[in-house]
Amino acid sequence: MQYRRLGKAGVQVSALSLGSWVTFGQQISDDVAADLMKTAYDKGVNFFDNAEAYAGGRSETVMGNILHRMEWPRDTFLVSSKVFWGGSLPNQEGLSRKHVMEACNKTLKRLQVDYLDLYFCHRPDPNTPIEETARAMSDLIHQGKVLYWGTSEWSAQEIAQAHAVARECHLVPPTMEQPMYNLFGRFRFEKEYARLYSEYGMGTTIWSPLASGLLTGKHKGGPQEGTRATLKDYDWLKNQIEREGKEKAEKVEKLAVIAKDIGLSLAVFSVAWCLKNPHVSTVILGASKIEQLTENLQAVEAQEKLTPDVMKQVDEIVGI
């Protein structure tokens, strides 16, 4: 495994990490979830990602039970959560001080840990001043409940505002952003965020490296049964795959040829491509099967096969 600093922060995260969205507490059994976490940990993964919204909190409960059972030393792993969608009643969602504080306390109980290594604002909240949110996050850090706070799917302008507020009010600024990034989703990460890396030393924990499965090649004929796209309440994902699968079918086929030429599956190739970007601190993998996780973990070693010539061919196919 390779380890990278989280932006300018001193903490190191494994280049590949494991996320629980859709899978834990929903798509897979708790035993499979435990096997996935143990496999990942044994392979050097030290970061596990979660959120209060995942399976209505059940994902955190499942992960917490596993962490408790494994008894790994606390200084050998990092665990995160995200705050925004905690319920349907007033003050159960958003980034108000009340919700941020209460959500963090509930998450700590579900995960059975004393503190969160990383805590993300899952989306920007137009109804709450950034100063209120930044102050709440900063206070959680001073209380020892959170080590680093960050954002997820915020615009570059909103992230810059958070830093400006933190500087003006003497608060702890955000350390990292969790954006979508893959071969078919490049502009925000590579262009919009460009100045944030040098100006603020922003770290990143990127998600959806396989573009919801499009970059595995398995959805060529439409969403495959047994995948997250066919789960209840995920019609939006099914529709997205059906639409984008048709639009990007030719590009997927061309990428698959390049991957095959250098001896990689399209999935491993796509994850390795993400890792080639020096601004990627860690790539969050999602998996429902051990074989799937084991295969994708090969992406760390696969990076060396993505030569400048290969990267140029990719750019010519997908653009930006």
Side-chain angles (χ1 to χ4, degrees), residues 6 40 68 104 109 116 130 138 211 228 234 251 280 305 310:
L6 187 61
H68 179 73
C104 182
K109 289 181 180 179
L116 298 173
I130 288 182
S138 190
R228 61 185 59 185
Y234 283 85
K251 292 182 179 180
V280 170
K305 294 188 175 183
V310 170

Side-chain angles (χ1 to χ4, degrees), residues 122-162:
H122 211 160
R123 291 294 186 276
D125 181 1
N127 298 316
T128 300
I130 288 182
E131 180 183 343
E132 179 177 339
T133 301
R135 191 173 295 278
M137 286 292 193
S138 190
D139 286 347
L140 285 173
I141 289 176
H142 290 310
Q143 292 169 12
K145 295 179 179 179
V146 171
L147 300 188
Y148 303 91
W149 80 275
T151 57
S152 181
E153 294 298 336
W154 283 33
S155 69
Q157 181 180 1
E158 289 162 337
I159 294 170
Q161 287 176 337

Side-chain angles (χ1 to χ4, degrees), residues 4 153 178-191 193 197 204-212 215 270-284 311 315 319-320:
R4 300 179 176 187
E153 294 298 336
Q178 185 168 122
M180 181 190 74
Y181 182 52
N182 55 58
L183 280 158
F184 292 145
R186 303 177 59 180
F187 182 83
R188 168 168 276 186
F189 192 92
E190 296 181 12
K191 298 299 181 182
Y193 287 165
Y197 305 122
T204 61
T205 62
I206 70 111
W207 63 280
S208 197
L210 300 179
S212 297
L215 287 166
S270 299
V271 175
W273 179 88
C274 292
L275 287 173
K276 293 289 285 186
N277 190 316
H279 299 305
V280 170
S281 305
T282 184
V283 175
I284 300 173
M311 296 295 280
D315 285 344
I320 188 170

Side-chain angles (χ1 to χ4, degrees), residues 194-255:
R195 72 181 182 89
L196 303 182
Y197 305 122
S198 58
E199 193 166 338
Y200 304 120
M202 185 177 76
T204 61
T205 62
I206 70 111
W207 63 280
S208 197
L210 300 179
S212 297
L214 288 178
L215 287 166
T216 64
K218 64 185 176 185
H219 293 306
K220 288 186 292 186
Q224 295 299 295
E225 286 300 323
T227 64
R228 61 185 59 185
T230 59
L231 293 175
K232 181 182 178 182
D233 299 326
Y234 283 85
D235 288 342
W236 61 271
L237 183 57
K238 179 180 180 181
N239 294 335
Q240 176 185 320
I241 289 175
E242 288 177 341
R243 181 182 66 256
E244 295 187 4
K246 295 176 183 177
E247 294 174 356
K248 297 179 171 66
E250 185 177 346
K251 292 182 179 180
V252 170
E253 290 182 4
K254 291 181 179 179
L255 291 170

